[in-house]
Amino acid sequence: MRKLTIIVNKNPDNTFWCRSEEDLNGTFLNAVGNTVADAKKDLAECYKEVKEMNDADGVETDAVEFEYKYDVQSFFEFFSFLNVNEIARRSGINPSLLRQYAAGSKKAGETIYNRLSECLSQITSELNAATF
């Protein structure tokens, strides 16, 4: 199974856009929705349509696993159960500033994305180690 990187961004019109970073048999996947979940559903439909077109042309389409890369707004919209203030505290980012990034009123730079990525990796490790 091939991994396909999907970039998830919030658009100025408040919709969310999913686009593939790599092509799939010469075609890039693009999808949009009112929520990240809607955009992901549209992306799955886009993949299905590409596969059907390729099948009709006798071209085999790779089976894919989507790997998502989010902007800050899309991330907190999709993972709304995460507390922005707690993520800010754990990553050493000013909570007010992170809320502005999440709302889209300010744009986060590479340093902020690296801190968030490191924080989320730590949270993932902690969750993977937890049992009931």
Side-chain angles (χ1 to χ4, degrees):
M1 182 170 296
R2 177 178 167 201
K3 282 196 178 191
L4 197 61
T5 304
I6 304 298
I7 306 300
V8 184
N9 294 94
K10 186 170 186 181
N11 294 319
D13 67 356
N14 291 322
T15 59
F16 295 90
W17 180 36
C18 292
R19 63 180 171 80
S20 62
E21 233 179 20
E22 308 88 16
D23 70 290
L24 183 66
N25 298 77
T27 303
F28 288 88
L29 303 180
N30 291 288
V32 69
N34 290 322
T35 65
V36 174
D38 289 344
K40 286 182 172 185
K41 286 178 191 172
D42 192 40
L43 182 71
E45 185 63 30
C46 181
Y47 170 75
K48 180 180 169 188
E49 290 172 4
V50 167
K51 185 170 178 5
E52 288 171 356
M53 287 188 313
N54 285 342
D55 287 349
D57 292 339
V59 176
E60 188 174 329
T61 304
D62 296 335
V64 297
E65 177 183 345
F66 295 135
E67 181 177 275
Y68 296 98
K69 288 185 177 181
Y70 299 88
D71 68 357
V72 175
Q73 292 175 278
S74 299
F75 177 82
F76 282 109
E77 191 277 338
F78 190 69
F79 297 100
S80 60
F81 57 88
L82 292 175
N83 182 301
V84 175
N85 290 333
E86 183 59 20
I87 298 295
R89 185 191 68 74
R90 290 179 73 136
S91 60
I93 300 170
N94 180 297
S96 176
L97 191 55
L98 187 56
R99 284 191 301 276
Q100 290 174 10
Y101 295 144
S105 58
K106 290 203 181 227
K107 186 157 175 68
E110 185 177 348
T111 302
I112 295 298
Y113 276 101
N114 289 340
R115 289 167 94 178
L116 288 171
S117 181
E118 192 174 302
C119 177
L120 293 173
S121 291
Q122 180 183 2
I123 291 170
T124 300
S125 294
E126 291 170 8
L127 287 170
N128 284 333
T131 60
F132 291 97

